[in-house]
């Protein structure tokens, strides 16, 4: 889907629907950065992989830094969902995924930012827009909608 994705809903209606979906999924929100009235939702980081498959899974959703040929311990991301008013009856929903990998350095561990390749954003956009519109926007039939660890 295009990111941002245009919906025929005013921003307040879209904000309420997005808030309901995220609360229904029990996704933890960053209460300092989230602002429902301004149409900005920011989740807390969610660890989606740890152990042997970390590098492979990080490579699937992001572009690992070329110089970082190391042992990755965990992968996490947080979402930034921005609702942009287009006109009085139309809004756009934009999803940005901030992906990080945890690795060992000389002192302990640290998180390294790894730019998203768009897979997470597309999955979240399809889930949110599909749920709000009541349509199946998944690329494969009978796929479940998914945001982080919430399937619906």
């Amino acid at each position: 889907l295009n990111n941002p994705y245009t919906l025929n809903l005013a921003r307040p209606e879209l904000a309420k629907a997005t808030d309901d979906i995220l609360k229904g999924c029990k996704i933890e929100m960053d209460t300092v950065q989230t602002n429902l009235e301004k149409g900005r939702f920011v989740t807390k980081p969610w660890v989606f992989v740890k152990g042997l498959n970390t590098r492979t899974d990080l490579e699937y959703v992001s572009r690992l830094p070329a110089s970082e040929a190391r042992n990755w311990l965990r992968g996490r991301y947080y979402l930034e969902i921005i609702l942009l008013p287009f006109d009085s009856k139309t809004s756009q929903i934009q999803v940005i995924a901030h992906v990080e990998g945890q690795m060992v350095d000389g002192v302990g561990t640290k998180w390294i930012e790894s730019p998203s390749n768009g897979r997470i954003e597309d999955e979240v956009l399809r889930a949110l827009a599909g749920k709000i519109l009541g349509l199946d926007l998944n690329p494969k039939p009978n796929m479940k909608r998914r945001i982080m660890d919430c399937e619906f």
Side-chain angles (χ1 to χ4, degrees):
L1 294 179
N2 292 333
N3 190 9
Y5 186 77
T6 304
L7 293 160
N8 289 324
L9 279 173
R11 187 171 78 173
E13 295 170 42
L14 182 56
K16 171 85 171 88
T18 301
D19 189 47
D20 289 347
I21 292 168
L22 296 173
K23 282 181 179 171
C25 282
K26 297 181 175 80
I27 293 174
E28 290 188 57
M29 303 304 293
D30 180 327
T31 55
V32 173
Q33 295 186 58
T34 296
N35 187 323
L36 182 66
E37 291 77 35
K38 291 185 178 178
R40 186 165 193 262
F41 299 86
V42 180
T43 68
K44 289 188 176 178
W46 175 64
V47 174
F48 69 96
V49 64
K50 41 183 139 175
L52 294 175
N53 294 332
T54 300
R55 181 180 189 85
T56 303
D57 287 0
L58 279 168
E59 286 175 333
Y60 182 73
V61 298
S62 69
R63 294 181 293 278
L64 286 176
S67 62
E68 303 296 337
R70 302 183 176 140
N71 291 327
W72 297 97
L73 302 173
R74 298 189 296 172
R76 72 179 183 186
Y77 66 85
Y78 69 92
L79 298 171
E80 192 173 345
I81 301 167
I82 303 165
L83 310 178
L84 308 162
F86 198 68
D87 59 34
S88 63
K89 297 179 183 177
T90 309
S91 301
Q92 292 184 317
I93 182 167
Q94 180 180 28
V95 177
I96 302 165
H98 300 273
V99 182
E100 298 174 315
Q102 186 183 44
M103 49 165 276
V104 178
D105 68 3
V107 182
T109 62
K110 67 178 179 178
W111 290 97
I112 306 289
E113 191 171 338
S114 183
S116 173
N117 63 16
R119 279 194 170 101
I120 295 169
E121 290 90 339
D122 189 65
E123 182 177 64
V124 173
L125 266 175
R126 288 177 187 279
L128 284 172
K131 177 80 170 170
I132 291 166
L133 297 172
L135 300 172
D136 183 3
L137 297 176
N138 287 316
K140 297 176 186 171
N142 300 320
M143 260 180 79
K144 290 195 175 213
R145 295 181 183 119
R146 183 176 159 162
I147 300 173
M148 295 181 152
D149 62 346
C150 176
E151 287 187 351
F152 52 95

